[in-house]
Amino acid sequence: MSLVTLLPFIVLIGAMFLMTRSAKKKQQQAVQMRDQMQPGSGVRTIGGLYATVKEVSDDTVLVEAAPGVHLIFAKNAIGAVLDDDEYNRLVHGTEFSDDDADEITGSAVPDDASSLTEADGAGSRIDLGKSDAEAKDKPDTEDTPAAQAERPADTEPKKTDGESDAK
């Protein structure tokens, strides 16, 4: 066999080696991240639950999702161990420190939707219907009584459901 015929097989084996190597690397990083968990750490499960770690054992983790609500998860169900700042931002809503607050100049989101639905005046409404001028310019000729009267009585309506007159 020549090198040209073996080249595709060599490339395929090399690609498979690189893919499995990167998958193993990600798996090792996940195991290392789960081993770094300790009581008091904020975590996100693979289902999207944010909680605080209370106890870590060999295969399970006891977390507190809310005050007095304790849940037991498998270690594999922990998707990420979060930094304290990120956990507090996501769970408790403490988004900005004092230094960051000076840089933010955007508008605040209101607590209720009433300010979003108030009209600025009577002229701010949009009419989505046809205007009288458009209706006069383009009359619908198929359904008007005049069009129905002009149609011969012996003509059958068009068949649109795939039926045919052939027997």
Side-chain angles (χ1 to χ4, degrees), residues 30-80:
V31 168
Q32 183 181 9
M33 179 253 326
R34 290 181 185 121
D35 288 339
Q36 290 177 352
M37 276 189 301
Q38 54 187 340
S41 299
V43 295
R44 181 183 65 236
T45 65
I46 58 173
L49 177 81
Y50 292 93
T52 305
V53 175
K54 291 297 176 186
E55 224 177 88
V56 179
S57 66
D58 291 337
D59 296 332
T60 61
V61 179
L62 177 69
V63 297
E64 185 176 29
V69 179
H70 296 275
L71 306 167
I72 298 174
F73 282 94
K75 267 191 174 179
N76 293 339
I78 303 300

XYZ file of all heavy atoms in Angstrom, residues 30-80:
369
model
N -13.502 19.633 35.059
C -14.766 19.553 35.788
C -14.592 18.821 37.113
O -15.130 19.236 38.146
C -15.828 18.863 34.931
N -13.827 17.745 37.108
C -13.570 16.998 38.345
C -12.789 17.864 39.324
O -13.093 17.904 40.526
C -12.810 15.686 38.025
C -12.273 15.038 39.293
C -13.714 14.737 37.277
N -11.806 18.599 38.819
C -11.013 19.480 39.672
C -11.895 20.587 40.260
O -11.778 20.915 41.435
C -9.867 20.080 38.865
C -8.948 20.958 39.677
C -7.844 21.561 38.820
O -7.862 21.445 37.596
N -6.887 22.200 39.463
N -12.805 21.139 39.455
C -13.702 22.186 39.928
C -14.621 21.644 41.032
O -14.848 22.302 42.047
C -14.540 22.713 38.754
C -15.539 23.775 39.093
S -17.287 23.308 39.112
C -17.525 22.120 37.886
N -15.125 20.434 40.853
C -16.014 19.841 41.860
C -15.252 19.487 43.130
O -15.814 19.511 44.216
C -16.710 18.619 41.275
C -17.722 18.993 40.220
C -18.432 17.787 39.649
N -19.306 18.195 38.563
C -19.212 17.739 37.319
N -18.326 16.826 37.008
N -20.036 18.176 36.396
N -13.969 19.148 43.010
C -13.174 18.850 44.191
C -12.847 20.108 44.988
O -12.559 20.034 46.182
C -11.869 18.135 43.799
C -12.113 16.702 43.361
O -13.180 16.144 43.725
O -11.257 16.145 42.649
N -12.872 21.267 44.349
C -12.580 22.525 45.031
C -13.781 23.055 45.819
O -13.658 24.036 46.527
C -12.136 23.579 44.027
C -10.783 23.308 43.432
C -10.402 24.343 42.385
O -11.214 25.180 41.991
N -9.169 24.277 41.914
N -14.932 22.393 45.680
C -16.109 22.834 46.429
C -15.856 22.691 47.918
O -15.276 21.699 48.356
C -17.341 21.989 46.062
C -18.061 22.425 44.852
S -19.604 21.548 44.640
C -19.088 19.862 44.534
N -16.322 23.659 48.648
C -16.234 23.598 50.096
C -17.471 24.272 50.665
O -18.148 25.033 49.954
C -14.952 24.268 50.575
C -14.763 25.680 50.068
C -13.396 26.203 50.440
O -12.760 25.683 51.340
N -12.948 27.240 49.764
N -17.818 23.981 51.907
C -19.005 24.608 52.499
C -18.912 26.130 52.418
O -17.871 26.729 52.675
C -18.978 24.117 53.941
C -18.267 22.805 53.866
C -17.227 22.990 52.796
N -20.013 26.739 51.972
C -20.071 28.185 51.809
C -19.916 28.637 50.367
O -20.181 29.792 50.046
N -19.504 27.746 49.478
C -19.339 28.097 48.070
C -20.706 28.199 47.397
O -21.618 27.440 47.699
C -18.523 27.042 47.331
O -17.246 26.922 47.874
N -20.822 29.106 46.473
C -22.029 29.205 45.659
C -21.871 28.331 44.434
O -20.816 28.312 43.799
N -22.927 27.568 44.093
C -22.857 26.666 42.949
C -24.090 26.830 42.080
O -25.127 27.340 42.515
C -22.741 25.182 43.395
C -21.439 24.938 44.112
C -23.917 24.759 44.226
N -23.943 26.390 40.819
C -25.063 26.288 39.884
C -25.118 24.840 39.430
O -24.124 24.293 38.983
C -24.867 27.211 38.681
C -26.036 27.147 37.694
C -25.812 28.000 36.458
N -24.694 27.464 35.687
C -23.624 28.150 35.334
N -23.503 29.406 35.653
N -22.666 27.577 34.640
N -26.293 24.229 39.551
C -26.423 22.840 39.125
C -26.622 22.802 37.613
O -26.867 23.831 36.975
C -27.621 22.161 39.807
O -28.826 22.777 39.368
C -27.502 22.242 41.316
N -26.559 21.599 37.043
C -26.756 21.469 35.613
C -28.197 21.774 35.223
O -28.484 22.039 34.071
C -26.337 20.072 35.107
C -27.112 18.987 35.825
C -24.851 19.871 35.225
C -26.872 17.590 35.274
N -29.097 21.783 36.209
C -30.491 22.142 35.957
C -30.760 23.626 36.110
O -31.862 24.091 35.867
N -29.757 24.404 36.541
C -29.921 25.848 36.652
C -30.279 26.327 38.043
O -30.651 27.483 38.222
N -30.177 25.492 39.057
C -30.483 25.880 40.431
C -29.248 26.503 41.065
O -28.158 25.929 41.017
C -30.914 24.642 41.240
C -31.187 24.891 42.713
C -32.583 25.478 42.862
C -31.063 23.614 43.497
N -29.409 27.686 41.633
C -28.334 28.346 42.354
C -28.500 28.055 43.834
O -29.594 28.211 44.378
C -28.361 29.856 42.104
C -28.000 30.217 40.691
C -28.983 30.388 39.724
C -26.681 30.385 40.316
C -28.654 30.710 38.428
C -26.339 30.712 39.015
C -27.332 30.873 38.079
O -27.000 31.186 36.791
N -27.435 27.631 44.483
C -27.519 27.260 45.886
C -26.156 27.441 46.542
O -25.147 27.671 45.885
C -27.975 25.809 46.020
N -26.146 27.309 47.877
C -24.935 27.403 48.667
C -24.590 26.016 49.197
O -25.460 25.317 49.710
C -25.133 28.369 49.849
O -25.573 29.623 49.351
C -23.851 28.569 50.616
N -23.333 25.636 49.076
C -22.895 24.320 49.543
C -22.867 24.318 51.071
O -22.311 25.219 51.694
C -21.495 23.979 48.979
C -20.982 22.669 49.547
C -21.534 23.940 47.474
N -23.477 23.283 51.657
C -23.457 23.124 53.111
C -22.529 21.999 53.540
O -21.867 22.102 54.557
C -24.881 22.850 53.644
C -25.799 24.032 53.539
C -25.272 25.147 54.400
C -26.095 26.391 54.272
N -25.535 27.521 54.990
N -22.507 20.904 52.760
C -21.715 19.743 53.115
C -21.258 19.036 51.847
O -22.022 18.940 50.897
C -22.603 18.775 53.908
C -21.976 18.164 55.125
C -22.990 17.305 55.849
O -23.086 16.114 55.492
O -23.680 17.823 56.740
N -20.038 18.550 51.835
C -19.518 17.822 50.679
C -19.069 16.440 51.154
O -18.297 16.328 52.102
C -18.320 18.561 50.032
C -17.787 17.782 48.845
C -18.724 19.963 49.613
N -19.580 15.396 50.498
C -19.112 14.040 50.791
C -18.454 13.472 49.531
O -18.203 14.207 48.577
C -20.275 13.168 51.264
O -21.209 12.980 50.223
N -18.200 12.170 49.517
C -17.485 11.573 48.388
C -18.259 11.702 47.065
O -17.700 12.096 46.049
C -17.194 10.098 48.661
C -16.171 9.932 49.768
O -15.406 10.883 50.003
O -16.154 8.851 50.395
N -19.546 11.348 47.076
C -20.337 11.340 45.846
C -21.470 12.346 45.823
O -22.064 12.579 44.776
C -20.934 9.941 45.613
C -19.858 8.897 45.389
O -18.784 9.277 44.886
O -20.098 7.721 45.700
N -21.811 12.937 46.963
C -22.965 13.838 47.035
C -22.578 15.176 47.632
O -21.536 15.316 48.268
C -24.096 13.212 47.889
O -23.612 12.990 49.208
C -24.603 11.928 47.268
N -23.464 16.129 47.422
C -23.288 17.478 47.941
C -24.614 17.909 48.565
O -25.667 17.767 47.937
C -22.905 18.463 46.812
C -22.756 19.869 47.342
C -21.649 18.034 46.116
N -24.584 18.406 49.780
C -25.772 18.959 50.429
C -25.747 20.461 50.198
O -24.773 21.138 50.555
C -25.779 18.655 51.929
C -26.935 19.249 52.727
C -28.239 18.551 52.350
C -26.682 19.147 54.213
N -26.781 20.996 49.554
C -26.838 22.425 49.252
C -28.077 23.027 49.882
O -29.057 22.332 50.165
C -26.840 22.691 47.727
C -25.555 22.205 47.091
C -28.026 22.079 47.055
N -28.024 24.327 50.111
C -29.167 25.070 50.645
C -29.641 26.020 49.543
O -28.952 26.974 49.187
C -28.775 25.844 51.899
C -29.950 26.541 52.548
C -29.559 27.237 53.842
O -28.391 27.669 53.975
O -30.423 27.363 54.706
N -30.839 25.735 48.996
C -31.383 26.534 47.902
C -32.046 27.801 48.419
O -32.033 28.833 47.752
C -32.370 25.709 47.101
N -32.651 27.721 49.579
C -33.291 28.853 50.245
C -33.134 28.621 51.738
O -32.806 27.504 52.154
C -34.761 28.939 49.844
N -33.365 29.621 52.559
C -33.221 29.401 53.999
C -34.123 28.252 54.474
O -35.331 28.276 54.302
C -33.656 30.726 54.611
C -33.384 31.737 53.544
C -33.645 31.026 52.254
N -33.489 27.221 54.998
C -34.222 26.067 55.503
C -34.542 25.008 54.464
O -35.115 23.979 54.783
N -34.187 25.229 53.200
C -34.457 24.258 52.138
C -33.129 23.596 51.757
O -32.293 24.195 51.090
C -35.094 24.927 50.903
C -35.347 23.913 49.809
C -36.370 25.643 51.280
N -32.959 22.353 52.192
C -31.719 21.619 51.939
C -31.986 20.535 50.910
O -32.977 19.823 50.982
C -31.192 21.002 53.238
C -30.813 22.030 54.252
N -29.582 22.620 54.267
C -31.512 22.593 55.271
C -29.520 23.498 55.247
N -30.694 23.505 55.885
N -31.083 20.417 49.946
C -31.209 19.440 48.869
C -29.915 18.654 48.754
O -28.832 19.190 48.975
C -31.495 20.143 47.546
C -32.689 21.093 47.523
C -32.657 21.951 46.283
C -33.973 20.298 47.577
N -30.042 17.395 48.376
C -28.866 16.558 48.161
C -28.736 16.309 46.667
O -29.674 15.861 46.013
C -28.997 15.222 48.918
C -29.097 15.469 50.417
C -27.809 14.322 48.607
C -29.367 14.221 51.233
N -27.550 16.611 46.128
C -27.261 16.414 44.708
C -26.054 15.507 44.566
O -25.171 15.484 45.429
C -26.941 17.745 44.012
C -28.143 18.577 43.695
C -28.579 19.565 44.557
C -28.837 18.378 42.518
C -29.674 20.328 44.260
C -29.936 19.142 42.202
C -30.360 20.119 43.074
N -25.986 14.795 43.462
C -24.768 14.077 43.110
C -23.721 15.114 42.713
O -24.054 16.179 42.180
C -25.039 13.121 41.952
N -22.476 14.804 42.964
C -21.412 15.756 42.602
C -21.416 16.046 41.107
O -21.100 17.150 40.683
C -20.045 15.212 43.009
C -19.587 15.640 44.358
C -18.131 15.266 44.544
C -17.616 15.807 45.839
N -16.212 15.434 46.061
N -21.780 15.061 40.309
C -21.810 15.256 38.859
C -22.883 16.240 38.435
O -22.861 16.735 37.313
C -22.033 13.927 38.143
C -20.867 12.996 38.311
O -19.761 13.437 38.607
N -21.094 11.710 38.117
N -23.857 16.523 39.296
C -24.936 17.442 38.954
C -24.546 18.905 39.167
O -25.321 19.800 38.836
C -26.185 17.126 39.776
N -23.371 19.153 39.707
C -22.906 20.527 39.907
C -22.273 20.994 38.603
O -21.290 20.435 38.127
C -21.899 20.619 41.068
C -22.510 20.080 42.355
C -21.419 22.054 41.238
C -23.753 20.812 42.816
N -22.863 22.028 38.006
C -22.384 22.525 36.722
C -21.258 23.518 36.846
O -20.369 23.578 36.001
N -21.271 24.328 37.918
C -20.234 25.338 38.082
C -20.144 25.750 39.537
O -21.155 25.830 40.232
C -20.530 26.566 37.226
